[in-house]
Amino acid sequence: MLDRRSFLGSAAAASIATPLGAEALSSLPLPASDMFGKDPDGYWKALRGQFLIPTDVVNLNVGTVGSSPRPVLKAIFDGFMDTERMTQARSEDYPIWGYGPWEEYRAPFAAFMGARTEQMAILRNCTEANSYVANGFDMKPGDEVLISDEEHGSGEMPWMLRQRRYGVVVKKFALPKPPKNAAEILNRINEAITPRTRIIFVSHISTATGVVLPAKEIAALARSKGIVSAFDGAHAPGMIKVDLNDIGCDIYTGSMHKWLFATKGTGFLYLRDKSVMDRVWNTIATGGYDDPTRMADRYMQIGSSCIPTLMGLNAAIALADQIGMDRIEARGRMLADYIHAGMMERGAESWTSPDPYLRGAIATVNVPGVQRMELQDWLWTNHKVRIRGGNPSKLRLATPYFMSKADIDRFLGLYDQFRRTKGLA
Ligand SMILES: Cc1ncc(COP(=O)(O)O)c(C=O)c1O
């Protein structure tokens, strides 16, 4: 946790703490779209400049949390400066959301995700959304939920809580490391389904390995057996193009603060239609929670929440749309392939699927002999390179669009240096 003294002492914090700082945030124009064709390196470099991350820092861990770029920060800070004046036009308006439909924020995000506004509830993070699903999905004791062995704690624990408290049964299937192709994953799921399976809840993109699960095919498999399909898409928005209605799943949750670089404190819950909503009880309730005509909006009645958060979300969507999700997705994949190839040359074991269909902007490798926590600390403390992984020796390398090949080369060189100092190379 940052102490107050070091926070106030940081130059970036000082420059963004005042209205003047908020103005300064917009003073760096975004690159023109046609620069992408003429000078792609210059284009991505100009976008790198939108992030306050110092130029000598390499952040290979967007997987945990993103960094909001200038347009998003400006929207947030301007939002506070405006809403806190308490001069809202209508006498019933206050600077809070959590009691109304808030379509001006729900609609752009729903459109960005290939959904209709009435299918989308904006919540405060993916953990909250997953808790809504696990806590609220109508099940009897003995009914089963099928999850993978790679769910994040925020996906698995809400179900474990439900199991302990109400006697539903959590069943797990193992994802191969790595899966060769989609069929291998689908077979594992199919084999684990029983007559008591009511819902399949899996990550769209695994937090453990970055593998992109075949969501459309999993949803179709579930539907063919009369089972509800639910995805934890914490990593998907802003990393890959998502079209929720095309996936055809029943339920989908996620975070916008990771790869979309929106405000911390943004998550969502998508429910396909009223028949699904009729099976999901609210977890948080205030007036309107039980009004079915409100569709997904009724899951947004969560009490006083922060409007500038949503303003930052709209700015994050506008930025992603301006760049284009096709470009963002292709860039992230290209960089992940590049770092993955570099690690393969160094003898790493791949936990990233060889099938391009299952790959996104996270490459994961296992490097037996290297203590990942030791490497992670050394890289950050001595070289300002941030990675994350799992013990004892898994490295998760997340490559956002603002990264460059030179950043990756720097990481690879440091990895070589670390191994030499440990006598491993
Ligand atoms: C797959 C997955 N689900 C859920 C979460 C939790 O997200 P949040 O912090 O937005 O609640 C994470 C965070 O890393 C995640 O990777």
Side-chain angles (χ1 to χ4, degrees):
M1 174 88 110
L2 208 57
D3 69 35
R4 189 172 152 73
R5 184 187 300 257
S6 59
F7 178 70
L8 293 176
S10 107
S15 73
I16 58 180
T18 63
L20 188 65
E23 268 164 42
L25 284 168
S26 64
S27 64
L28 204 62
L30 292 170
S33 187
D34 64 356
M35 187 177 170
F36 176 76
K38 295 179 199 151
D39 174 14
D41 287 346
Y43 177 80
W44 294 112
K45 199 168 170 199
L47 284 169
R48 172 68 175 85
Q50 297 295 327
F51 291 81
L52 301 189
I53 300 171
T55 48
D56 60 346
V57 167
V58 176
N59 184 8
L60 287 159
N61 189 27
V62 171
T64 296
V65 71
S67 164
S68 291
R70 288 165 187 269
V72 176
L73 293 174
K74 177 160 167 41
I76 298 166
F77 293 125
D78 284 351
F80 273 117
M81 297 310 290
D82 184 33
T83 57
E84 295 304 328
R85 292 163 65 233
M86 304 292 281
T87 54
Q88 286 71 25
R90 289 185 307 249
S91 65
E92 277 287 313
D93 270 2
Y94 294 94
I96 48 171
W97 66 279
Y99 292 100
W102 293 95
E103 308 249 328
E104 63 268 53
Y105 302 107
R106 226 156 42 108
F109 183 67
F112 181 74
M113 297 295 286
R116 295 186 304 279
T117 308
E118 86 229 25
Q119 299 172 302
M120 185 62 77
I122 295 180
L123 297 173
R124 290 165 296 199
N125 54 52
C126 188
T127 308
E128 188 172 59
N130 288 343
S131 298
Y132 254 97
V133 180
N135 196 53
F137 184 64
D138 216 2
M139 290 168 88
K140 295 190 207 54
D143 284 351
E144 292 172 9
V145 53
L146 179 60
I147 68 172
S148 86
D149 64 343
E150 288 187 12
E151 298 314 311
H152 188 273
S154 296
E156 179 174 342
M157 292 310 139
W159 287 110
M160 295 319 252
L161 188 157
R162 177 93 186 260
Q163 175 171 263
R164 276 180 72 184
R165 194 166 175 201
Y166 296 113
V168 305
V169 178
V170 180
K171 283 266 169 79
K172 269 191 204 179
F173 69 95
L175 277 167
K177 284 188 185 53
K180 282 196 286 295
N181 50 38
E184 201 182 4
I185 298 175
L186 290 165
N187 285 339
R188 296 255 175 132
I189 294 176
N190 198 32
E191 282 158 15
I193 290 172
T194 79
R196 297 303 300 259
T197 309
R198 298 286 171 266
I199 181 166
I200 297 172
F201 177 96
V202 285
S203 294
H204 187 181
I205 300 178
S206 163
T207 191
T209 61
V211 166
V212 182
L213 274 73
K216 193 167 177 169
E217 292 82 348
I218 294 172
L221 172 65
R223 198 179 323 114
S224 73
K225 305 212 168 217
I227 297 168
V228 166
S229 58
F231 291 91
D232 174 340
H235 291 274
M239 187 214 279
I240 59 172
K241 202 169 175 178
V242 182
D243 185 335
L244 289 172
N245 284 337
D246 180 60
I247 289 176
C249 60
D250 296 306
I251 300 173
Y252 194 104
T253 62
S255 322
M256 297 78 124
H257 63 79
K258 293 179 190 288
W259 295 84
L260 190 54
F261 309 129
T263 333
K264 278 87 190 155
T266 43
F268 70 96
L269 169 64
Y270 157 97
L271 300 131
R272 185 167 51 81
D273 60 18
K274 188 167 172 306
S275 72
V276 178
M277 296 176 203
D278 285 347
R279 299 177 69 179
V280 181
W281 288 86
N282 282 52
T283 289
I284 298 172
T286 180
Y289 91 93
D290 57 348
D291 176 358
T293 64
R294 295 179 76 148
M295 302 294 279
D297 163 45
R298 71 186 170 89
Y299 302 95
M300 273 179 66
Q301 307 315 304
I302 54 179
S304 304
S305 306
C306 177
I307 294 178
T309 302
L310 300 183
M311 295 172 165
L313 170 62
N314 271 6
I317 295 166
L319 177 61
D321 279 341
Q322 181 167 344
I323 302 169
M325 274 314 300
D326 288 339
R327 282 181 191 172
I328 291 175
E329 180 173 334
R331 170 92 177 166
R333 280 183 205 274
M334 181 277 287
L335 292 168
D337 287 351
Y338 183 73
I339 202 166
H340 182 259
M343 292 305 288
M344 291 300 98
E345 277 167 24
R346 289 160 173 80
E349 175 190 322
S350 178
W351 284 4
T352 299
S353 175
D355 184 344
Y357 186 54
L358 306 184
R359 285 166 90 133
I362 298 178
T364 303
V365 292
N366 193 36
V367 283
V370 173
Q371 295 300 312
R372 79 92 191 184
M373 205 56 222
E374 212 184 320
L375 172 66
Q376 182 179 310
D377 283 344
W378 179 82
L379 283 170
W380 180 241
T381 312
N382 300 328
H383 301 286
K384 302 187 190 170
V385 174
R386 205 190 265 284
I387 64 158
R388 209 166 178 213
N391 292 336
S393 48
K394 180 195 80 176
L395 312 182
R396 188 183 70 174
L397 307 165
T399 52
Y401 65 74
F402 61 76
M403 182 141 296
S404 67
K405 282 187 172 176
D407 290 332
I408 292 175
D409 290 340
R410 203 175 127 211
F411 160 75
L412 291 171
L414 288 166
Y415 176 72
D416 290 340
Q417 189 184 326
F418 179 82
R419 281 164 76 231
R420 277 195 303 274
T421 59
K422 296 284 162 195
L424 295 167

